[in-house]
Amino acid sequence: MSTSSVSKGCFVFKPSAKKQKKTPLSLEDHFLHACEGDDNRKLRFQLCQDLWEKIKTKTEALQDELNRNILDSLLDFTRKCSSTRRHSDWASQMRASEIPSAALVLGVNVPDHDMTFKSLSDLLQQSVTPHVASVQAKECGALKHLMKRVLERLMDTVVDDDDDEEEEEEAEQTSASLNNTVHCSLGTLCDWYNTKTKKSNTGTPGKKRSSPLGDDSQPPPVVIIFKDLEAFNPKVLQDFILICSRYIQRLPLMFIFGIATSPSTIQHMLPHSVSSLLCIELFQSLSCTQHLATVIDKLILTPHFPFKLNGKVMQVLISIFLYHDFSVRNFIKGIQLALLEHFHSQPLSVLCCKKEAALMNVMQLGQPDLERIRQLQSFKRYVEKQEAQEQVDLFTDDSHLKSACQKLIRDLHKYHKNYYPILRCLHTLTSSLPRYPLGKQIRELHLICLEKNIWENEEYQSAMKLLKMMAKEQLIGLLQRCEEILQSVRSRKMNGALVQLKDMLAKFRQLDAVAAEPPSSVEDRITSPVKNLQKKTDLFQLQKALLEMNESRRSKKLSPFEALRNEALEFIDSLVKTHLSPPESQTLNEVCYYASSATVRRHLNAAPRTSIQAALNSPYYYLQNDSLQTDDGLVSNAAPDICIVYKLHLECGRLINLYDWLEAYATVVSAAEGDEPGSESFGKVDDVRHARFIRAVSELEFLGFIKSTKQKTDHVARLSWGGC
């Protein structure tokens, strides 16, 4: 489209009416795009969505349950502080002159704090007061901003700020026609609060807000939540508290400070003259590691959710949690990512559902899916163990393969049903041993079981030796806890194990009624070599005596308790060897287990520096421009300026001469612009090339590859080494 005119002007070209806006793609469209296996991808999307909704619902219920105690304590604190103002005794009057404040220590898992504060705000508005405002440090850089945010969220109106810039004033003037602006001060808030409380007191009884304390005349408090106390400007916070203390008799204010590190943060940020105006009570939430242990116990170590993670993926998610953010929310997002990748990339994930639905889906598998089953490594190992005719039928007869897959799906669900109770029993027995040979947390034991046969592990052997030295009362208590675990499982094998365990516990209780046997003569022979030793003896006699003691100990007769203890531990060992084999040993484990740890690490634990270096070194990979495609180690003269400058800086040492760098850049750019090597303009630095070079160098400095230095004039220091 073009236009011609003898005069300068501005021409407006309206877009064509034929062009319509593209409708945004739905979640299903994104999932189905480039999805492996076209036959059942819609069913897989539905299964994935249903399973995630169940996991999400369970997670929210867990978080509400874990935060219930701390939230109930905060609600009681707000009710108690609001009721204290009504008393006339001296202590209550002194307390009423201070601002009630709750120091809520939530831990360093900052991404999880938003959900906690949202639940707290909702509960306060439902049961204590409708006047709740939450503020963050990033939106309260100055006192006027903090005051404005508090008033806007409490009064639900536009607050007039006299010191704003002209643009903000114009925006407020346009909105003033729709909303009434108010002055930014606590006096305005007091007038608004008095009006609100009078309306609620003079309203009809049916519309009056019910008070949890049973006193309708009691005014509700005004709660202000500071979500991230450490990030606030101390001067802003101090001034705000000083101003609020002047209005405490007119306005029932209450503060809640969200603290991520330590309660001493309040002392470091506020001087005594300010902190003395606060009546602070400390509240401590559950640690993030306890929260994670509960989530793993309810979401992963359970047969109710058919989707599973293999050992490497679990290790990646736990490592990100322990060494990066301590965020349970991000851990659950990692599970969501693995779930989505599993159903998107594995066509056989259509069988990753409840047993009844999986058995029905087996009969609906098409020829491509049956061939995928035959190519599974676990299925090939299963076929190799079968007889010759059975092998032929499995590879040639589709109906026979479907019936075999149904049996294997049943066996896989039975494996999960028996695996987790035995895992909990083994953790119960070994979690209290010295030095925790199999880990202190059950997730550590689960990771060991996912990798290999745990009974072949040296730590397992040392744990069994320590259990053989355990006292009777302690061992009986642990076995009783194992009995409680097995009682909650509905499985034929677990019921049989429960009967045997009860019999052993009955035998342990019968030992108390059995009289102790007199010491045998063997015990006398144990000590006899030591008694026969002289005070001065040589090495040969000492070695002989020790050998005799060792032989006598071997021939010693076990007591009834020791024999029964060994029998109980042998029973536990047999359960471990039967039910705690790794998932890779189960046929069709690829259906339920997601094993691509590299994909999870690439999405959740990204390396931005590596990606930036790869982009600067190979711009063709991102821009997909054929003119940028070169051999490895070379850079195209048509590449962006920053790529050329970056490639040239890799050839320099620790200090880079800016003039030499500019000359090399001008030479490369001249070749890109088609200048002849022998011409006068080749390699010449004009104003445009100079400006382009300065911009590219500034971008490299911003990315952290170079920095300015005073060691030499017109030099910069190189910061990165070993580039891609």
Side-chain angles (χ1 to χ4, degrees):
M1 184 179 295
S2 62
T3 184
S4 60
S5 176
V6 295
S7 62
K8 294 182 180 180
C10 179
F11 301 93
V12 179
F13 300 99
K14 295 183 178 181
S16 175
K18 297 181 180 179
K19 296 182 179 179
Q20 298 179 355
K21 294 183 179 180
K22 295 182 178 180
T23 57
L25 296 177
S26 62
L27 293 176
E28 185 175 2
D29 296 332
H30 284 289
F31 182 89
L32 299 181
H33 178 67
C35 187
E36 293 289 339
D38 297 336
D39 299 337
N40 51 19
R41 53 182 185 173
K42 291 188 177 180
L43 178 59
R44 283 152 49 197
F45 172 75
Q46 189 63 39
L47 290 174
C48 178
Q49 200 171 27
D50 293 343
L51 187 56
W52 169 244
E53 288 298 327
K54 293 179 182 178
I55 293 176
K56 184 180 178 181
T57 304
K58 183 68 174 179
T59 302
E60 293 174 352
L62 282 176
Q63 291 174 341
D64 292 341
E65 183 179 353
L66 291 172
N67 294 329
R68 182 178 303 166
N69 293 333
I70 186 69
L71 295 180
D72 289 346
S73 301
L74 284 169
L75 292 179
D76 294 339
F77 171 74
T78 55
R79 295 190 186 102
K80 180 182 66 175
C81 293
S82 59
S83 63
T84 305
R85 302 176 185 272
R86 297 179 300 167
H87 300 295
S88 58
D89 57 290
W90 180 82
S92 300
Q93 292 298 324
M94 290 298 295
R95 184 68 63 88
S97 63
E98 300 172 347
I99 302 176
S101 304
L104 179 57
V105 182
L106 294 174
V108 296
N109 52 329
V110 178
D112 299 337
H113 293 181
D114 288 339
M115 189 173 297
T116 303
F117 283 120
K118 184 178 182 302
S119 301
L120 175 61
S121 179
D122 293 341
L123 288 175
L124 287 173
Q125 291 178 345
Q126 292 173 6
S127 59
V128 179
T129 173
H131 313 308
V132 180
S134 299
V135 291
Q136 287 181 295
K138 63 182 181 181
E139 56 188 10
C140 304
L143 178 61
K144 61 178 181 180
H145 298 150
L146 175 58
M147 195 78 70
K148 183 177 180 180
R149 297 295 180 272
V150 170
L151 265 65
E152 284 179 346
R153 287 165 190 177
L154 286 174
M155 303 171 63
D156 194 18
T157 185
V158 178
V159 178
D160 185 17
D161 191 356
D162 297 336
D163 297 332
D164 282 347
E165 297 179 354
E166 295 180 358
E167 292 83 3
E168 297 180 355
E169 290 179 356
E170 294 177 358
E172 289 182 358
Q173 288 175 2
T174 56
S175 63
S177 59
L178 300 176
N179 299 301
N180 295 325
T181 59
V182 296
H183 184 61
C184 184
S185 68
L186 281 184
T188 304
L189 181 62
C190 292
D191 297 338
W192 171 85
Y193 179 79
N194 292 331
T195 304
K196 284 287 183 180
T197 52
K198 287 180 180 178
K199 286 183 179 180
S200 61
N201 291 333
T202 57
T204 58
K207 297 182 179 180
K208 191 178 295 183
R209 185 182 61 87
S210 60
S211 173
L213 297 175
D215 187 2
D216 293 335
S217 62
Q218 177 188 345
V222 178
V223 181
I224 303 175
I225 301 176
F226 300 86
K227 291 185 176 181
D228 45 354
L229 180 67
E230 290 91 346
F232 274 88
N233 187 342
K235 179 62 177 175
V236 172
L237 200 61
Q238 294 169 21
D239 294 343
F240 182 75
I241 294 174
L242 288 173
I243 295 174
C244 291
S245 64
R246 303 296 180 90
Y247 292 87
I248 190 63
Q249 300 298 334
R250 299 172 55 190
L251 193 66
L253 289 169
M254 187 176 300
F255 295 158
I256 296 179
F257 299 119
I259 302 175
T261 54
S262 172
S264 60
T265 304
I266 299 178
Q267 300 176 357
H268 297 157
M269 295 183 65
L270 304 178
H272 181 266
S273 59
V274 178
S275 61
S276 60
L277 301 175
L278 305 176
C279 178
I280 303 174
E281 187 168 338
L282 181 64
F283 297 89
Q284 181 75 47
S285 66
L286 279 177
S287 65
C288 52
T289 52
Q290 292 176 323
H291 197 164
L292 176 69
T294 305
V295 169
I296 291 178
D297 184 64
K298 300 298 183 182
L299 294 184
I300 296 178
L301 304 181
T302 174
H304 300 301
F305 297 105
F307 174 72
K308 306 296 178 185
L309 304 174
N310 82 332
K312 293 183 179 180
V313 178
M314 273 283 295
Q315 189 63 56
V316 168
L317 294 180
I318 294 176
S319 298
I320 293 175
F321 174 86
L322 294 177
Y323 303 117
H324 286 81
D325 52 11
F326 290 101
S327 173
V328 179
R329 181 182 177 185
N330 291 343
F331 180 84
I332 296 171
K333 285 184 178 179
I335 297 177
Q336 183 184 11
L337 171 65
L339 175 71
L340 184 62
E341 286 287 338
H342 178 67
F343 278 91
H344 185 266
S345 61
Q346 175 59 269
L348 296 177
S349 59
V350 69
L351 305 179
C352 183
C353 51
K354 291 186 177 181
K355 184 174 67 173
E356 294 77 10
L359 295 177
M360 293 177 59
N361 292 338
V362 166
M363 303 307 296
Q364 298 176 0
L365 292 177
Q367 182 64 30
D369 292 331
L370 295 177
E371 290 300 325
R372 292 187 181 99
I373 291 178
R374 293 187 175 107
Q375 296 301 321
L376 295 177
Q377 293 295 328
S378 61
F379 186 77
K380 289 181 179 180
R381 292 194 300 266
Y382 169 77
V383 173
E384 291 174 357
K385 299 177 183 178
Q386 306 302 316
E387 297 179 357
Q389 184 60 38
E390 180 68 15
Q391 294 180 4
V392 173
D393 294 339
L394 290 174
F395 278 109
T396 58
D397 190 354
D398 292 345
S399 60
H400 184 75
L401 176 61
K402 290 181 179 180
S403 60
C405 288
Q406 285 187 330
K407 177 181 178 301
L408 294 174
I409 289 294
R410 292 191 187 95
D411 294 340
L412 186 61
H413 282 267
K414 289 179 182 178
Y415 164 78
H416 289 146
K417 201 170 186 178
N418 298 328
Y419 173 88
Y420 296 110
I422 302 302
L423 180 73
R424 298 181 194 279
C425 290
L426 182 60
H427 173 69
T428 300
L429 293 170
T430 59
S431 59
S432 59
L433 294 177
R435 298 185 179 180
Y436 311 106
L438 293 180
K440 187 176 181 181
Q441 302 288 339
I442 191 172
R443 64 171 183 264
E444 303 173 41
L445 178 60
H446 179 55
L447 288 176
I448 298 174
C449 295
L450 290 177
E451 293 176 358
K452 58 181 179 180
N453 294 329
I454 189 172
W455 56 88
E456 299 176 356
N457 200 336
E458 295 182 0
E459 286 77 9
Y460 177 80
Q461 302 296 334
S462 62
M464 297 305 292
K465 291 179 181 179
L466 291 174
L467 287 174
K468 290 181 179 179
M469 296 186 294
M470 188 171 288
K472 181 173 66 173
E473 291 78 8
Q474 188 177 4
L475 181 61
I476 292 176
L478 295 178
L479 292 178
Q480 288 176 346
R481 290 170 58 185
C482 293
E483 179 186 5
E484 296 174 359
I485 294 173
L486 296 180
Q487 282 178 347
S488 60
V489 183
R490 295 181 180 180
S491 172
R492 184 179 302 175
K493 292 185 178 180
M494 292 299 101
N495 291 338
L498 178 61
V499 172
Q500 297 183 40
L501 187 58
K502 287 182 177 180
D503 293 341
M504 290 182 182
L505 286 173
K507 293 179 182 179
F508 275 112
R509 297 187 185 97
Q510 292 176 359
L511 290 178
D512 298 334
V514 179
E517 297 182 1
S520 61
S521 58
V522 179
E523 296 179 355
D524 297 335
R525 293 199 305 269
I526 292 176
T527 57
S528 60
V530 180
K531 293 180 180 179
N532 294 334
L533 283 177
Q534 301 176 0
K535 292 183 179 181
K536 294 182 180 181
T537 181
D538 55 5
L539 182 60
F540 176 76
Q541 292 180 350
L542 179 61
Q543 185 178 6
K544 182 180 178 181
L546 292 176
L547 289 174
E548 292 178 0
M549 290 175 60
N550 190 21
E551 292 178 359
S552 61
R553 280 199 180 99
R554 290 181 180 178
S555 61
K556 176 185 175 183
K557 183 179 179 181
L558 296 176
S559 65
F561 166 69
E562 292 173 342
L564 189 57
R565 180 177 59 188
N566 291 343
E567 181 183 353
L569 295 179
E570 289 176 0
F571 169 68
I572 296 295
D573 183 63
S574 65
L575 291 177
V576 169
K577 292 180 179 179
T578 305
H579 302 292
L580 288 190
S581 57
E584 283 77 6
S585 63
Q586 304 298 314
T587 311
L588 300 184
N589 67 84
E590 296 90 346
V591 170
C592 297
Y593 283 84
Y594 179 71
S596 181
S597 59
T599 303
V600 175
R601 185 182 291 108
R602 184 173 68 252
H603 284 87
L604 299 182
N605 194 15
R609 177 182 168 183
T610 304
S611 302
I612 292 173
Q613 287 179 325
L616 295 177
N617 196 57
S618 304
Y620 172 77
Y621 180 77
Y622 289 91
L623 300 180
Q624 294 295 315
N625 189 346
D626 294 336
S627 62
L628 303 178
Q629 193 170 8
T630 59
D631 298 332
D632 294 338
L634 302 177
V635 59
S636 173
N637 51 18
D641 293 337
I642 188 174
C643 297
I644 298 175
V645 171
Y646 171 77
K647 200 68 177 180
L648 292 173
H649 112 286
L650 294 178
E651 302 173 0
C652 302
R654 188 175 62 87
L655 295 178
I656 305 175
N657 189 315
L658 286 174
Y659 183 77
D660 296 340
W661 199 3
L662 175 60
E663 289 289 335
Y665 166 77
T667 303
V668 176
V669 172
S670 298
E673 294 177 353
D675 296 342
E676 295 295 333
S679 63
E680 295 181 358
S681 61
F682 186 81
K684 185 179 179 180
V685 180
D686 55 9
D687 293 341
V688 175
R689 292 176 182 175
H690 195 187
R692 288 167 58 186
F693 174 76
I694 292 175
R695 182 179 63 179
V697 172
S698 301
E699 291 172 350
L700 278 186
E701 185 177 8
F702 176 75
L703 293 175
F705 290 100
I706 59 173
K707 71 172 183 178
S708 59
T709 179
K710 296 182 180 179
Q711 295 183 10
K712 280 189 178 183
T713 307
D714 297 334
H715 281 69
V716 293
R718 180 179 173 184
L719 298 178
S720 63
W721 304 90
C724 298

